[in-house]
Amino acid sequence: MKILFLGTSAGWPLPRLGCSCQICKSKDPRDIRLRPAVLINDSILIDAPPDIYHQLLKISNSSYLISNIKALILTHAHPDHVLGFYDLTHLYNRVEKEPKLITTQEVLNGLRQIHRFSIAPFKPEIIVPKETMVIDNIKIAFYPVHHNHTPCYAIKMKGEKIFLYIPDIKRLPRSERKPFKGVDLLVLDGSSLGKRGQTRIHQSIEEGIRLAQELNPKQCFFTHIGHITGTYKDLEKFVQKNGGRNFHIAYDGLELQL
């Protein structure tokens, strides 16, 4: 399974306009972040952030073809995850078969409140939480997580190995953790480093490290990196020191192979 991080910022891109903090003035390209999205096996897209047009255009300048997209998965209907959906309805050189829009009924309802136009060429396929569907031999399941009042889901994908993607989460009760344990790659919310800058609907990286240590993945990466966290180099040192050698910070353009 190939995983390409198209975007790894939180609700706003980094650097922020007019800001001269350590992150925003960094010269490290890994500190330039757009809103969160990942591409699986060049064909399954998770989330449609406001930047998705330019994220896909960037990789399309290589050998990647937009017609590869077979499915779009939506984790939840917050603006930083769905505002780019309009652009995705205007893709050229598509294959004849309609791409699938895979999500729960609640998230589809939330998308329709924001996107009041046709969702063509996407064909909606409603998935029931905790049930499984299969695309290209990859089993896909949605698991509810606590974010805020908006229904939000972790995406679990199982091919030869297991990928668990949770870009937005506040907490995961112990009674709900069993399906999340022992995966090959866990990707977690990294909206703040600690309590400083933390909002009431996101966990911090410090909390995420403790959660991941209990879930015991083979690798753990943080995405959805917020403004009050640190540079890539500082955050990478922090998670390695406090989590272990299998803890890392994702960045735009990072490609992993499971």
Side-chain angles (χ1 to χ4, degrees):
M1 191 185 306
K2 186 175 87 170
I3 297 155
L4 174 63
F5 290 85
L6 298 176
T8 57
S9 77
W12 289 267
L14 294 171
R16 297 280 182 88
L17 285 173
C19 183
S20 59
C21 74
Q22 185 183 20
I23 300 174
C24 291
K25 67 182 182 182
S26 171
K27 301 300 183 182
D28 188 337
R30 293 170 295 187
D31 288 319
I32 299 174
R33 302 179 183 276
L34 297 176
R35 268 65 68 93
V38 294
L39 184 63
I40 311 299
N41 288 346
D42 292 332
S43 61
I44 302 173
L45 183 61
I46 302 182
D47 284 337
D51 313 299
I52 194 64
Y53 180 90
H54 293 285
Q55 291 166 331
L56 291 174
L57 186 64
K58 183 177 180 180
I59 64 172
S60 297
N61 290 333
S62 61
S63 60
Y64 180 73
L65 299 176
I66 289 299
S67 58
N68 290 343
I69 296 178
K70 295 181 179 179
L72 168 65
I73 292 172
L74 294 180
T75 60
H76 63 300
H78 276 173
D80 55 326
H81 293 258
V82 300
L83 279 187
F85 181 76
Y86 176 79
D87 289 338
L88 292 181
T89 63
H90 291 70
L91 300 180
Y92 288 80
N93 296 318
R94 299 191 305 268
V95 293
E96 290 185 7
K97 191 173 182 180
E98 298 171 319
K100 298 177 181 179
L101 172 58
I102 301 172
T103 194
T104 66
Q105 186 63 58
E106 293 85 357
V107 176
L108 181 60
N109 292 344
L111 172 67
R112 290 187 184 279
Q113 290 178 1
I114 295 172
H115 178 84
R116 297 182 181 273
F117 307 97
S118 169
I119 65 171
F122 287 91
K123 181 179 180 180
E125 287 202 16
I126 301 303
I127 187 169
V128 175
K130 301 181 182 181
E131 292 190 357
T132 300
M133 69 166 50
V134 179
I135 298 179
D136 290 348
N137 298 316
I138 296 177
K139 295 179 180 179
I140 301 171
F142 282 53
Y143 287 88
V145 295
H146 295 258
H147 179 32
N148 72 342
H149 61 275
T150 300
C152 184
Y153 297 89
I155 308 301
K156 187 175 182 179
M157 309 183 79
K158 183 177 181 181
E160 292 183 2
K161 296 185 178 180
I162 301 175
F163 169 48
L164 183 60
Y165 185 65
I166 320 176
D168 291 63
I169 186 174
K170 175 58 181 176
R171 61 188 179 87
L172 184 64
R174 292 187 182 278
S175 60
E176 300 175 15
R177 294 181 183 182
K178 185 176 179 180
F180 297 73
K181 292 185 176 182
V183 302
D184 294 282
L185 175 61
L186 171 65
V187 177
L188 279 175
D189 188 339
S191 298
S192 69
L193 180 58
K195 291 185 177 181
R196 179 174 177 266
Q198 185 176 13
T199 68
R200 60 180 178 81
I201 62 173
H202 291 277
Q203 71 170 13
S204 67
I205 292 175
E206 290 179 345
E207 291 171 332
I209 289 173
R210 293 193 292 270
L211 174 61
Q213 286 174 330
E214 180 176 334
L215 298 179
N216 194 31
K218 290 184 174 62
Q219 292 187 85
C220 178
F221 280 75
F222 288 92
T223 189
H224 208 278
I225 305 300
H227 190 206
I228 305 178
T229 49
T231 63
Y232 168 82
K233 289 183 178 179
D234 288 342
L235 290 176
E236 183 75 4
K237 290 178 183 177
F238 180 88
V239 297
Q240 293 258 311
K241 178 181 177 181
N242 293 279
R245 295 179 62 184
N246 60 329
F247 283 76
H248 300 281
I249 300 296
Y251 55 87
D252 292 21
L254 173 64
E255 184 178 305
L256 300 175
Q257 191 74 41
L258 284 184

